[in-house]
Amino acid sequence: MKRSIFSDIFSGYFLIILLLSSLVLFFSFKTIRNYYIETLTTNLKNLGIAVEKDVKPLIDKAEFGQMDALVKRLGKKIHTRITIIRPDGLVLADSEKDPKTMENHKGRPEVKMALRGKTGKSLRFSVTVKQEMLYVALPIEKDGKITGIIRTSLFLKDINNLLATLKTKILQIVLLVVIFSLLIAFLFSRGLSQPIRKLATAAREVASENFDVRVSLRTNNELRELANSFNYMAEKIKALFTDISLKKEELNNIISSLQEGFLVLDKKGEIILCNDSFKKIAENDTPEGKLWWEVVRSAPLDELIKRGLEEKKNLIEEIALGEKIFLTSITFIPSMNEISLIFHNITEVKRLEKIKKDFVVNVSHELRTPLTAIKGFVETLDEEIDTKHKHYLDILKKHTDRLINIVQDLLLLSKIEEKNVELNIEQVNLKSLIGDILVLFENKIKEKGLELNLALDDVPPIKGDAFKLEQMLINLIDNAVKYTDKGEIEISLEKEDKYVVIGIKDTGIGIPDKDIDRIFERFYVVDKSRSRKLGGTGLGLSIVKHIVLLHNGKIDVESTPGKSTKFTIRLPS
Ligand code: ADP
């Protein structure tokens, strides 16, 4: 059973009061009784001393009859029993009884004491008068010898009567004190428990989100301080709660107004939060609380979410849901062990991209035949034209070659950019591949007076598409030769951990810092007129990057403008 503070405090006080009053009653009765008996003993002793002077001569003269009459008279007058006893215990006179009928008193404790010359005292039940009595015995001496004993005694029934009256009076007072104390204890307990109860009720209110509750106490102690602190706390919580609610609302508004689908999943994959856009994507009005795979069925999304939850990192992927394509990004939230997903609809972008790609491929295809025809005719003309007009034909030839290059590069790029481009995987010996390619550049290198340095290790063959890797190396070596006027070209091949590393370094014009991040973009050239003059298309490095990625490799470039450029390709071996 739940106990209240009030009942705890009050019952504590009740017990203390009860214990104290019982102790007071017990000890006061005992003390009063003892005190009475002491007083009566002294009185009886004094009485004995007073009677002694009348009795002593009668003992000496052995006037026992007269003595008996004397004690009977005196005893009646002073309501005290007087007994005169001979040292051998024989009762000589008694104020209540006929001494002759009385038994020998030598064995009585008070008599025994008196016979030893002291004042004897005894409290006991009298067999003679059949009542509880207090006895005091004094020795009567003559010439240092005990000639008799005076015993005075009182019925204790008087004391008991007196004590009974006193007991009732004390009981009444104690009862009054107890009632009064209990009343004070009641008020005090209530005074202490009421503020605590008030505080507890207010705390419950705050817990049920009623922050307007305040506690006012009339007391002026620590509890009041507690109440003031409580009120201050409630005020602060209210302000904080309002602030949080506002922020939450603001956040909810932002999330719901997002065009992108937004979703938060806990570590078990349960949907904690989502916005309207996501509900539209999922075609489900109440996805909250469900597991995500119950709401959206997609194997690639399955895979992506599982990876996000397991690997605990941010991921981004294009995922098709029905007719639409979404750029889906997963962000891991470490503090909550949750992941958030954003679905950005890129269907239209993808459609336009495809139209553009198809257009480029179609145009390239359409241009290829006429360009080849033009090139053929130009070459035929070259043999027949006079030297005066040869210059024009050279220009025509150069531009035709450039156009053919662009068309070829565009077709190649479109091919390798296709999502599911197939690689003709075979064992490729990079050292011999580089050797074969270098033959193509021998003349050009010689013409330009460049030095060729090779540091080719015997690396193990790698798995790759030989044709594409060849294209990649041609583009890089072609650039190195194209953009270097003097100095050397250094080609290295070595094994490093799980990779085969190809290095192509030149001492050419270099690439400015601001351009270095963009050289892999399609059609990006640093110096347009120079690139054009050298027959560049701006597509070479895009093709290189795609081929490297298709082989799960990495490409890095370091360059010092005016000094050198180095491309490093790492391919898994
Ligand atoms: P391009 O056909 O113009 O060479 P690329 O895509 O191959 O196109 O290269 C892009 C640009 O990067 C080039 O125009 C050139 O400015 C720069 N570049 C590439 N390789 C080198 C190099 N080895 N040295 C200096 N610049 C280079």
Side-chain angles (χ1 to χ4, degrees):
M1 198 182 75
K2 209 176 112 189
R3 280 162 40 185
S4 68
I5 290 182
F6 171 79
S7 64
D8 274 2
I9 300 174
F10 185 70
S11 53
Y13 276 118
F14 183 78
L15 278 175
I16 292 171
I17 291 166
L18 216 70
L19 196 80
L20 280 178
S21 47
S22 312
L23 280 173
V24 164
L25 273 179
F26 178 74
F27 284 109
S28 63
F29 287 148
K30 221 177 154 79
T31 316
I32 290 170
R33 190 181 151 90
N34 286 346
Y35 176 76
Y36 260 98
I37 287 171
E38 273 314 304
T39 316
L40 284 176
T41 308
T42 316
N43 286 350
L44 284 176
K45 190 179 167 186
N46 291 340
L47 202 77
I49 293 166
V51 172
E52 187 190 351
K53 67 173 177 354
D54 293 330
V55 169
K56 205 174 172 183
L58 294 175
I59 288 183
D60 292 344
K61 285 183 226 152
E63 299 276 4
F64 301 130
Q66 213 176 318
M67 192 163 67
D68 190 49
L70 175 76
V71 296
K72 277 198 167 71
R73 208 170 53 242
L74 273 172
K76 213 169 268 170
K77 231 184 236 173
I78 56 172
H79 297 288
T80 308
R81 187 178 172 194
I82 305 164
T83 314
I84 313 294
I85 303 154
R86 223 166 57 182
D88 61 357
L90 187 82
V91 179
L92 297 174
D94 187 79
S95 58
E96 301 291 322
K97 295 259 166 173
D98 181 4
K100 283 180 200 112
T101 60
M102 287 166 73
E103 59 182 75
N104 190 299
H105 273 42
K106 193 170 182 178
R108 303 291 199 270
E110 70 278 4
V111 175
K112 272 185 183 167
M113 284 285 282
L115 284 172
R116 269 185 259 137
K118 291 177 187 153
T119 307
K121 177 191 153 190
S122 173
L123 186 76
R124 67 190 144 77
F125 192 81
S126 160
V127 199
T128 325
V129 288
K130 310 255 181 302
Q131 271 192 47
E132 203 188 5
M133 294 198 79
L134 172 69
Y135 297 97
V136 173
L138 294 168
I140 305 167
E141 291 176 9
K142 194 183 175 193
D143 306 328
K145 232 183 110 197
I146 296 171
T147 52
I149 287 144
I150 297 182
R151 192 183 72 172
T152 48
S153 49
L154 258 180
F155 295 107
L156 271 189
K157 93 171 177 252
D158 298 338
I159 306 173
N160 289 340
N161 285 346
L162 196 86
L163 278 173
T165 325
L166 213 70
K167 237 184 218 174
T168 325
K169 278 255 166 352
I170 292 173
L171 253 170
Q172 277 169 359
I173 293 167
V174 166
L175 214 70
L176 223 85
V177 170
V178 165
I179 291 169
F180 190 65
S181 308
L182 283 179
L183 196 76
I184 292 174
F186 174 82
L187 291 174
F188 184 70
S189 311
R190 205 178 58 170
L192 209 67
S193 68
Q194 225 169 30
I196 294 172
R197 243 197 329 259
K198 269 189 186 177
L199 275 163
T201 315
R204 264 199 303 275
E205 287 282 307
V206 169
S208 54
E209 292 182 23
N210 173 14
F211 303 117
D212 292 320
V213 69
R214 295 288 178 272
V215 183
S216 70
L217 299 180
R218 264 172 283 154
T219 50
N220 198 11
N221 53 17
E222 286 91 338
L223 282 172
R224 180 126 170 221
E225 261 175 53
L226 184 64
N228 289 343
S229 304
F230 178 88
N231 292 340
Y232 179 68
M233 185 187 76
E235 218 167 276
K236 280 268 157 198
I237 292 179
K238 188 184 174 181
L240 219 70
F241 205 77
T242 317
D243 198 34
I244 291 172
S245 303
L246 272 174
K247 287 215 169 92
K248 202 175 157 190
E249 209 179 297
E250 209 172 51
L251 195 70
N252 279 344
N253 285 342
I254 293 171
I255 290 172
S256 7
S257 64
L258 276 179
Q259 289 291 310
E260 285 81 10
F262 180 72
L263 177 70
V264 179
L265 301 177
D266 69 7
K267 61 171 185 269
K268 285 180 277 160
E270 199 178 294
I271 299 173
I272 300 173
L273 185 78
C274 68
N275 66 356
D276 291 346
S277 303
F278 175 77
K279 288 178 188 170
K280 267 187 217 148
I281 296 169
E283 293 172 1
N284 188 322
D285 289 338
T286 51
E288 290 95 344
K290 291 183 182 147
L291 291 162
W292 59 269
W293 48 262
E294 294 173 327
V295 178
V296 188
R297 297 214 174 258
S298 155
L301 186 63
D302 252 36
E303 191 66 28
L304 188 69
I305 292 177
K306 266 183 203 147
R307 264 178 62 209
L309 285 169
E310 273 165 25
E311 295 172 19
K312 302 186 173 179
K313 59 179 184 193
N314 303 343
L315 303 166
I316 189 158
E317 217 165 84
E318 282 174 21
I319 285 180
L321 295 176
E323 301 281 283
K324 292 174 184 154
I325 302 167
F326 294 91
L327 187 68
T328 311
S329 62
I330 289 190
T331 310
F332 181 70
I333 314 163
S335 56
M336 326 277 283
N337 227 354
E338 293 169 353
I339 53 167
S340 74
L341 285 100
I342 291 179
F343 296 86
H344 182 59
N345 190 343
I346 52 164
T347 317
E348 192 54 24
V349 179
K350 280 276 149 189
R351 198 179 65 83
L352 290 174
E353 213 173 76
K354 190 168 180 321
I355 291 173
K356 245 160 71 184
K357 244 185 213 162
D358 290 350
F359 173 75
V360 170
V361 173
N362 289 340
V363 169
S364 307
H365 270 298
E366 291 303 321
L367 286 176
R368 205 158 58 166
T369 323
L371 280 172
T372 321
I374 294 171
K375 191 177 157 72
F377 285 117
V378 169
E379 276 165 5
T380 320
L381 268 177
D382 196 27
E383 289 158 17
E384 292 168 16
I385 204 156
D386 52 28
T387 37
K388 197 179 150 200
H389 294 103
K390 194 153 176 22
H391 170 67
Y392 299 109
L393 198 67
D394 280 348
I395 295 173
L396 195 63
K397 211 166 136 193
K398 207 173 108 192
H399 282 286
T400 313
D401 282 344
R402 203 172 112 73
L403 268 173
I404 289 172
N405 279 348
I406 291 177
V407 166
Q408 271 173 351
D409 279 0
L410 274 175
L411 280 171
L412 184 66
L413 197 60
S414 314
K415 215 185 244 171
I416 55 177
E417 268 185 349
E418 266 170 37
K419 215 175 178 190
N420 299 320
V421 59
E422 271 189 31
L423 295 178
N424 289 322
I425 299 289
E426 54 186 305
Q427 294 287 340
V428 182
N429 185 327
L430 284 171
K431 191 175 173 177
S432 62
L433 189 65
I434 294 170
D436 294 345
I437 293 164
L438 282 174
V439 178
L440 305 173
F441 293 95
E442 257 172 15
N443 286 340
K444 242 189 193 171
I445 293 172
K446 234 181 242 163
E447 270 169 31
K448 289 187 104 172
L450 301 173
E451 199 182 311
L452 179 66
N453 284 329
L454 298 177
L456 306 174
D457 289 354
D458 285 314
V459 296
I462 64 155
K463 276 185 189 157
D465 185 321
F467 174 75
K468 292 197 173 65
L469 290 173
E470 184 182 23
Q471 188 65 51
M472 173 191 89
L473 290 165
I474 289 175
N475 286 3
L476 287 169
I477 298 170
D478 184 47
N479 278 350
V481 178
K482 252 188 336 197
Y483 298 107
T484 308
D485 293 331
K486 58 177 186 337
E488 56 171 39
I489 289 167
E490 193 182 300
I491 301 175
S492 61
L493 178 68
E494 59 185 331
K495 178 114 170 65
E496 193 186 279
D497 298 331
K498 291 175 193 159
Y499 293 96
V500 169
V501 187
I502 307 165
I504 296 164
K505 190 180 170 195
D506 62 60
T507 53
I509 57 167
I511 305 163
D513 273 356
K514 66 174 174 49
D515 299 300
I516 214 147
D517 287 338
R518 301 197 59 192
I519 53 169
F520 294 103
E521 288 174 18
R522 266 191 255 174
F523 295 111
Y524 192 84
V525 292
V526 176
D527 182 341
K528 268 191 191 141
S529 61
R530 188 180 196 131
S531 168
R532 217 167 283 160
K533 217 188 288 167
L534 296 169
T537 60
L539 292 168
L541 287 182
S542 298
I543 294 170
V544 168
K545 178 138 195 194
H546 267 90
I547 295 174
V548 172
L549 291 179
L550 281 174
H551 285 83
N552 296 321
K554 281 187 265 181
I555 180 160
D556 294 302
V557 54
E558 302 158 59
S559 183
T560 315
K563 244 181 162 182
S564 68
T565 304
K566 184 180 180 186
F567 285 89
T568 310
I569 298 115
R570 285 183 171 77
L571 297 171
S573 81

